[in-house]
Amino acid sequence: MNKITLAKYIAIIVFFVFGTHNRLFAEQENHESEAKKKLDVGALIMDHVLDAHEWHILSYNDFHLSVPLPVIVYSQTSGLNIFMSSKFHHEHKYVPYKGFALATEGVLKGKIYEVNEDGTPKTTTIVKNGEKVEEAVLPLDFSITKNVVALFVSLIIILWVFISIANKYKGVQKAPTGLQNAIEPLILFIRDDIAKPAIGAKKYEKYMPYLLTVFMFIFFNNLLGLIPIFPGGANLTGNISITFVLAIFTFIITTRNANKNYWVHIFNAPGVPWWLKYPIPLMPLVEVIGVFTKPFVLMVRLFANITAGHIIVLGFFSLIFIFGEMSVGVGYGISIVSIAFTIFMSVLELLVAFIQAYVFTLLSALYFGMATEEHH
Amino acid sequence: MQLVTPGIGLIFWMTLSFLIVLFLLKKFAWKPILESLKERENSIEEALNSAEKAKQEMLNIKSENDKILAQAKIERDGILKEAKEVRDKIINEAKKSALVEAEKLKQDAITDIKSEKENAINQIRAEMAILSVEIAEKIIRKELSSENKKEEIIQAYVQDVKLN
C-alpha cells in the first residue's frame, strides 16, 4: 500500500519534471549527418562527465534517444525564459530560440549563450589583464539540467528509503528487517565511529542530521553514478557545483558553531613563538587561510575522485572504439581487456563510493569537533 | 575549464533541494531512527545492567551461603572437638574409677583370701588335733592290748617319772 503510493508520487514528480512538453521521450534527432565523423575521445568523455541540457540515453546510427529537459534562463535583456531544450533542435540542427543558443563546441560547449536577432552571438567587451577582450554574454542559467534531474531523483530515492525505514522504528520495537538491516549499521557507523570520536559524546547529537544526510547523499549519488543507464550515470558527486555546495555547508556549520577557543587558536595560537605572530602575523595568516582551504580541499577531493573514476571507466570503453576504428577485429579483441579492466574499476569505484562518503563525513565531523573543542 | 567552474544553476538547485531534504530527513527520518536506536540501546543496557545486578546478587547470596556454611563447619568442628574432649574425659575418669574399684576389689579379695586361708588353716589344725588324738587313741589301744607292751610302757613311764 505504502509502496504503491510512493511509486505514484515518484511518477507524478517525474511527470512534473519532464511533462511540460508533449515530446516526452524518444525523440529522433539527426545532428549534422556525419556518420564518418572522427572519433574524439576527449570530447566524448567530457560530454559524459559534464552537465547537459538533455539526458542522452543512447544513439544508434542516426537514431538518438534523449530526454529533453527544461531550460530556465534569466537574461538581463529578455528576463526570465522557460522552455524545453528540444526547442534548440530544429530539423536535425541546433538553432537559436528566443534569443538563446546552445553552444556545440569550443570552451562554452553545452552552455547556453545569448544571441542577437540575426543569430550572431551577443558579446560584451571586458578588460582582462589590461587587454580588451570580446566575451559571449551568458544568461543566468537555472535550467533543470541532467545533473539537476539526477539530483532530484537521488534525493527522492534517499527520502523514500530513509522515511520508509524510519517508519519501521515507530511504535513497538522489533528486530530490524530488510533494508533496515543494511542501513542501520551505516547509521551506527556514522554515529559511533565518526561523530562521537570526532566531535565528542556530549555535542555530537546536534550534528548528526547533517552528517547522516551528507554521508547518504554522497554515498547514494556515488553509487547511482556507477549505474550506466538512466536515471543513473550522471556524474553528480563528480560535479564541482555539488561538492562546492556541500563544502560550503560544512564551512558554514563549522564557522557558525565555532567557540571562542577556536578563534583564539586561529588568531593567537597558544604555544607558538611570539615572533611568528608579531610584527608579521605569519601564523594567524596561515591559520586563516587554513579555515578556507579545509572546505576547499573537501570540495576538490570528492569532485576529483569521482570524476577520475568516471573518466577512467570511459577511457577503457573508448579504447574499444579507438582500436575499432583501426580494425574491427582489434576492437573486439580489446573489448575483452577493456571490460575486464572496467569491471575491476567498477568494483574499485564501489569502494571509492563508500570511502569518499566516509572521508567527507569524517572530515566534516572533525572540523565541527575542532570548532567546538573546549579549552584544555 | 567548465569542469572546475561551479555553475550557478546547479548550485541553486542543489542548495535549495539539499536544504529541503536535510530538513525533511531530520524531521521524519533521523530523529525517529536515532531516538529509537538510543532507546533500544538504553533498554539493552538496562537489561544487561539488571542481569549484572542479578548476577552480583546471586554471588552475594552464594558468598553469604558459603559464609554460613563455613561458620557451620567451624561450629560443627568445635562441637565435635568438645564432644571428643568430653568423651576422652569421661573415658579417662571411668578408667580411673575402674582402676580404683579394681584395686579395691583386689584388696578385698586379698583380705578375704587371707581370712579364708586362716580359717582353713585353723580348721585344718583343729581337725588335725582331733585326728592325732584319735590316732593316738588307736595306737594306745593297740599297744595296750598285749600285756607285754603294757608292761613295757608302764615301765617306760615309770622310768620317765623317776628321772623327773
Side-chain angles (χ1 to χ4, degrees):
Chain A
M1 173 71 192
N2 205 8
K3 273 176 193 169
I4 293 164
T5 48
L6 263 167
K8 250 187 216 165
Y9 284 132
I10 291 168
I12 288 166
I13 289 159
V14 167
F15 270 93
F16 176 75
V17 172
F18 304 120
T20 48
H21 196 262
N22 49 9
R23 283 167 72 200
L24 193 59
F25 282 94
E27 174 188 2
Q28 207 163 352
E29 298 165 40
N30 199 352
H31 305 268
E32 308 101 286
S33 51
E34 290 178 68
K36 296 278 179 203
K37 197 176 160 190
K38 190 97 178 90
L39 186 70
D40 183 357
V41 174
L44 180 129
I45 290 175
M46 276 304 149
D47 279 353
H48 277 89
V49 168
L50 287 175
D51 208 354
H53 282 282
E54 57 179 27
W55 198 314
H56 179 246
I57 294 168
L58 68 92
S59 293
Y60 183 74
N61 290 341
D62 282 342
F63 174 76
H64 300 279
L65 180 64
S66 61
V67 183
L69 299 170
V71 173
I72 304 166
V73 280
Y74 181 83
S75 158
Q76 284 193 323
T77 46
S78 63
L80 191 67
N81 288 281
I82 303 172
F83 52 90
M84 292 303 283
S85 66
S86 51
K87 297 276 190 211
F88 287 128
H89 304 299
H90 185 66
E91 288 177 0
H92 316 315
K93 269 191 180 163
Y94 280 102
V95 291
Y97 180 78
K98 277 191 179 174
F100 301 102
L102 192 63
T104 51
E105 52 204 358
V107 277
L108 288 177
K109 191 179 175 188
K111 285 205 165 184
I112 291 170
Y113 59 93
E114 291 185 33
V115 287
N116 293 318
E117 299 276 316
D118 56 359
T120 53
K122 242 184 218 173
T123 52
T124 49
T125 318
I126 57 154
V127 180
K128 209 176 186 178
N129 300 334
E131 282 175 60
K132 284 189 177 176
V133 186
E134 292 274 306
E135 206 166 64
V137 179
L138 300 175
L140 285 177
D141 190 351
F142 292 101
S143 301
I144 308 294
T145 57
K146 180 180 167 183
N147 275 337
V148 176
V149 174
L151 172 70
F152 289 159
V153 169
S154 71
L155 290 178
I156 287 161
I157 292 172
I158 289 170
L159 276 176
W160 171 57
V161 166
F162 288 101
I163 291 176
S164 69
I165 284 173
N167 287 333
K168 284 196 183 176
Y169 284 95
K170 283 175 187 157
V172 186
Q173 282 271 353
K174 278 181 251 163
T177 52
L179 196 58
Q180 200 184 353
N181 266 332
I183 298 299
E184 202 181 292
L186 278 181
I187 295 173
L188 289 176
F189 171 70
I190 293 162
R191 192 190 65 181
D192 297 337
D193 292 325
I194 295 178
K196 267 187 194 170
I199 304 172
K202 281 182 207 157
K203 288 170 285 188
Y204 80 95
E205 277 175 349
K206 185 179 167 192
Y207 305 99
M208 276 306 283
Y210 174 70
L211 293 175
L212 282 167
T213 312
V214 155
F215 182 90
M216 296 306 171
F217 178 81
I218 296 172
F219 188 47
F220 272 61
N221 276 305
N222 286 350
L223 292 180
L224 281 172
L226 295 179
I227 301 170
I229 53 156
F230 180 84
N235 182 26
L236 193 64
T237 38
N239 188 295
I240 201 143
S241 307
I242 300 294
T243 60
F244 172 77
V245 173
L246 291 174
I248 285 286
F249 276 129
T250 296
F251 174 72
I252 289 170
I253 294 170
T254 311
T255 314
R256 265 189 62 107
N257 290 293
N259 58 16
K260 200 182 147 208
N261 189 30
Y262 175 74
W263 296 118
V264 166
H265 265 267
I266 287 171
F267 291 112
N268 188 14
V272 172
W274 62 270
W275 48 268
L276 279 175
K277 300 185 242 181
Y278 183 86
I280 311 159
L282 212 57
M283 274 303 284
L285 202 70
V286 170
E287 290 282 354
V288 168
I289 293 168
V291 168
F292 296 100
T293 50
K294 280 173 199 161
F296 182 79
V297 168
L298 275 184
M299 167 178 86
V300 172
R301 181 186 298 108
L302 181 58
F303 151 75
N305 267 288
I306 304 305
T307 302
H310 280 247
I311 289 174
I312 290 170
V313 168
L314 288 165
F316 280 130
F317 280 130
S318 300
L319 276 182
I320 301 172
F321 299 102
I322 292 168
F323 284 97
E325 253 190 354
M326 295 179 191
S327 135
V328 177
V330 177
Y332 279 122
I334 281 293
S335 70
I336 298 165
V337 181
S338 276
I339 286 172
F341 271 110
T342 308
I343 290 169
F344 170 73
M345 276 312 296
S346 295
V347 175
L348 197 68
E349 284 302 305
L350 281 177
L351 197 67
V352 169
F354 179 80
I355 289 171
Q356 287 308 318
Y358 167 66
V359 166
F360 197 102
T361 315
L362 177 70
L363 288 175
S364 294
L366 280 173
Y367 299 156
F368 300 159
M370 274 156 75
T372 55
E373 196 179 17
E374 292 300 330
H375 189 69
H376 44 253
Chain B
M1 197 56 203
Q2 247 195 78
L3 194 63
V4 289
T5 318
I8 179 96
L10 198 48
I11 289 174
F12 168 77
W13 290 114
M14 172 65 185
T15 312
L16 185 72
S17 51
F18 188 82
L19 280 176
I20 292 169
V21 167
L22 181 63
F23 172 77
L24 288 176
L25 282 180
K26 185 180 173 181
K27 195 160 182 212
F28 297 112
W30 306 135
K31 212 177 149 204
I33 290 174
L34 288 173
E35 266 173 12
S36 80
L37 279 179
K38 210 173 188 181
E39 206 173 282
R40 189 200 294 167
E41 263 156 34
N42 284 344
S43 78
I44 289 170
E45 204 172 295
E46 236 164 66
L48 282 177
N49 278 347
S50 66
E52 186 62 29
K53 228 177 172 180
K55 206 176 144 196
Q56 205 62 45
E57 233 158 77
M58 279 284 292
L59 276 178
N60 278 350
I61 288 169
K62 215 188 150 206
S63 74
E64 220 157 276
N65 275 354
D66 284 352
K67 233 193 218 161
I68 289 169
L69 217 68
Q71 218 166 336
K73 234 181 195 171
I74 290 167
E75 244 163 69
R76 188 196 64 181
D77 285 353
I79 289 168
L80 276 178
K81 207 175 156 194
E82 226 167 85
K84 213 178 162 191
E85 268 167 19
V86 168
R87 187 193 66 182
D88 287 353
K89 209 171 147 194
I90 287 169
I91 288 171
N92 279 343
E93 253 161 48
K95 260 187 191 162
K96 237 184 242 170
S97 63
L99 270 176
V100 169
E101 196 76 7
E103 194 64 26
K104 205 176 151 199
L105 281 173
K106 211 171 111 188
Q107 286 306 319
D108 282 358
I110 289 168
T111 343
D112 277 2
I113 289 165
K114 254 186 192 166
S115 68
E116 288 295 312
K117 198 175 136 191
E118 246 158 65
N119 277 349
I121 290 169
N122 285 345
Q123 236 165 341
I124 289 165
R125 265 189 194 143
E127 278 306 294
M128 288 252 292
I130 294 164
L131 257 175
S132 47
V133 171
E134 275 175 10
I135 291 165
E137 203 185 287
K138 274 174 191 172
I139 292 167
I140 292 163
R141 259 173 218 215
K142 213 180 168 186
E143 291 287 315
L144 290 177
S145 56
S146 69
E147 281 302 318
N148 295 355
K149 289 264 180 165
K150 253 183 206 177
E151 239 359 88
E152 261 175 54
I153 290 164
I154 290 165
Q155 286 301 320
Y157 275 120
V158 170
Q159 275 184 320
D160 271 359
V161 172
K162 272 183 189 168
L163 279 170
N164 280 341

